[in-house]
Amino acid sequence: MHSKLFSAVLAVGSASVVSAVTTCTKDIKVTQPTPVIACDVVDASITIDASVAGGLSLEGPKAITGDLIIKNATQLISISSSTIQSIEGNFELQSLELLSSVNMQALKTLNKLNMVKLPQLSTLTFGTSGVTKASDIVISDTFLNDLSGLNINSVDSLTITNNNKLTAFNSDLVNITSLLSVTSNGNNMEINMTKLTSAAEIQLSNVKSFVVPRLKTITQSLKFDTNPELTTFSAKNVTSITDSVTFINNNKLTNVSFPLLTSIGDMTIQNNTKLLAVEGFPKLSKVAGGIILRGNFETVELPSLSDVEGGCTVFSTTDISAFCGFFDNAHSKKIIKGTESCKSNVKAANEGGSDGDSNTSSGGKGSSGNGTDNAVAALSVNNVLLGVSVVAGMAQLW
């Protein structure tokens, strides 16, 4: 707490006025919309009682080292403060049914922001240049159509889900150390992160575009699951992805391009019905897990493939016998160490069905044509079903 207090004091003013800073050290419970909080630094937490209604105005404190919690105040219409500059704990807004605006015009620094079940919230204002520093952010079930107030450079976790009016997110984020999850927002959601260079886990659903021209490093997974308007994706500077690369149920997707990608954990490309060619991986050489390709492919090219630790399943609704020989040969040379199966004219190729399930085991005899499909080692398609996992994970962030 001492380090938090020191940081809060620095945020309040210069060294010449530190001696004049007043500090409250006990938790504060607010029971009226215009409370008197006679201190510059709240070295504790502030909780707003559920009975507070109308417009809440929090004036006085410049820094809060603990939390600012506002939950279940169903008659609260607005929240404002012209003095609060930093919140070092959690800023939590939850289940505020009538809340329409948040105006924290001095706020620059947050630790964790949790905005959940705010169905009328349409206006969000943070500082003159937005919040520039934050750790974990969840924005879910709001009426927001603009997140320009989140002018952050780096974040551990950012979850944006079920905001039906939100159709665009333009961000100057450079680094995401844990999770970026953008799912089930407004139709044709467009994401532009032109400065993003590194990320851990990326999960996207109901997104029309995801522009990341500078992205180089993905330390965990990249997952596109059920993006009905997505037509193309390019990650021209990404060289490795430690875990999964997944494209499932993207019905308008026609092109995927990773020109510099050399190694991945595993790959699943399935039920992207307009994707007729898998040829955007010219340098992919090492796959630590396995490969699943299921669709209407007419062309599959992985010219640099030299080491697949798991298995490989390639099924198409078309005749792919011309390139099934490549996978048969790779299996015979032990490039593919697990079970290999490549089949043509599989009616249920996109979804699995009676022609075998969508996994291939890490061992066993390879097969093509009418051979039997088995399971890819350590590869689970279920981990990309974002709709349930994101909502469940979001509820446990705090």
Side-chain angles (χ1 to χ4, degrees), residues 1-325:
M1 185 64 74
H2 291 298
S3 62
K4 286 187 175 182
L5 178 58
F6 180 70
S7 299
V9 169
L10 290 181
V12 170
S14 65
S16 63
V17 297
V18 165
S19 60
V21 172
T22 56
T23 303
C24 296
T25 58
K26 294 183 179 181
D27 289 347
I28 297 172
K29 185 172 184 178
V30 173
T31 58
Q32 55 182 325
T34 56
V36 177
I37 304 177
C39 46
D40 297 306
V41 176
V42 177
D43 190 22
S45 295
I46 298 177
T47 302
I48 311 302
D49 190 80
S51 65
V52 176
L56 173 66
S57 177
L58 296 173
E59 300 299 334
K62 297 180 176 63
I64 302 171
T65 66
D67 304 328
L68 175 56
I69 306 295
I70 310 173
K71 297 172 63 175
N72 301 315
T74 58
Q75 299 302 308
L76 195 61
I77 296 174
S78 65
I79 300 168
S80 66
S81 175
S82 63
T83 62
I84 297 175
Q85 299 174 19
S86 66
I87 302 170
E88 297 193 25
N90 296 346
F91 183 20
E92 185 168 350
L93 306 175
Q94 184 170 330
S95 300
L96 308 174
E97 296 177 3
L98 298 183
L99 183 69
S100 62
S101 69
V102 175
N103 184 0
M104 309 287 284
Q105 58 186 277
L107 189 62
K108 296 180 180 179
T109 302
L110 283 168
N111 181 23
K112 294 183 178 181
L113 173 64
N114 193 24
M115 304 176 66
V116 179
K117 295 183 180 179
L118 312 174
Q120 302 299 321
L121 181 63
S122 60
T123 303
L124 178 65
T125 303
F126 285 158
T128 55
S129 58
V131 171
T132 57
K133 181 181 179 182
S135 172
D136 297 314
I137 298 173
V138 174
I139 300 175
S140 174
D141 299 287
T142 76
F143 202 65
L144 290 168
N145 62 12
D146 180 21
L147 294 179
S148 58
L150 296 177
N151 187 27
I152 51 181
N153 178 269
S154 178
V155 69
D156 291 335
S157 176
L158 174 59
T159 298
I160 303 171
T161 185
N162 293 324
N163 304 284
N164 294 332
K165 291 294 182 180
L166 189 64
T167 58
F169 181 46
N170 300 312
S171 172
D172 287 335
L173 268 169
V174 175
N175 182 40
I176 301 169
T177 60
S178 179
L179 171 68
L180 171 66
S181 177
V182 183
T183 65
S184 303
N185 295 289
N187 291 331
N188 304 323
M189 178 75 163
E190 296 181 288
I191 306 173
N192 291 289
M193 293 185 168
T194 57
K195 297 182 179 180
L196 186 67
T197 60
S198 64
E201 179 85 5
I202 299 175
Q203 301 175 350
L204 302 174
S205 176
N206 203 37
V207 167
K208 182 179 181 180
S209 63
F210 182 50
V211 179
V212 282
R214 298 186 184 182
L215 184 62
K216 294 182 179 180
T217 304
I218 300 176
T219 59
Q220 294 182 27
S221 299
L222 174 65
K223 302 175 182 179
F224 288 82
D225 188 357
T226 313
N227 297 276
E229 298 299 322
L230 180 73
T231 59
T232 184
F233 175 72
S234 174
K236 64 180 182 180
N237 291 310
V238 173
T239 58
S240 67
I241 298 176
T242 304
D243 294 332
S244 301
V245 177
T246 303
F247 291 85
I248 294 182
N249 302 326
N250 306 291
N251 294 331
K252 291 185 179 180
L253 184 67
T254 60
N255 182 61
V256 175
S257 178
F258 293 80
L260 299 182
L261 185 65
T262 60
S263 65
I264 60 175
D266 52 59
M267 176 192 290
T268 300
I269 299 178
Q270 179 173 311
N271 198 27
N272 308 289
T273 53
K274 290 191 177 181
L275 185 64
L276 303 182
V278 179
E279 53 189 4
F281 303 84
K283 295 188 177 182
L284 180 63
S285 60
K286 181 175 177 58
V287 181
I291 298 173
I292 293 174
L293 304 177
R294 285 176 166 269
N296 301 329
F297 312 124
E298 298 173 355
T299 303
V300 175
E301 294 182 5
L302 298 171
S304 300
L305 198 64
S306 61
D307 184 11
V308 180
E309 292 296 323
C312 182
T313 295
V314 184
F315 285 4
S316 179
T317 59
T318 69
D319 184 356
I320 57 174
S321 56
F323 59 80
C324 276

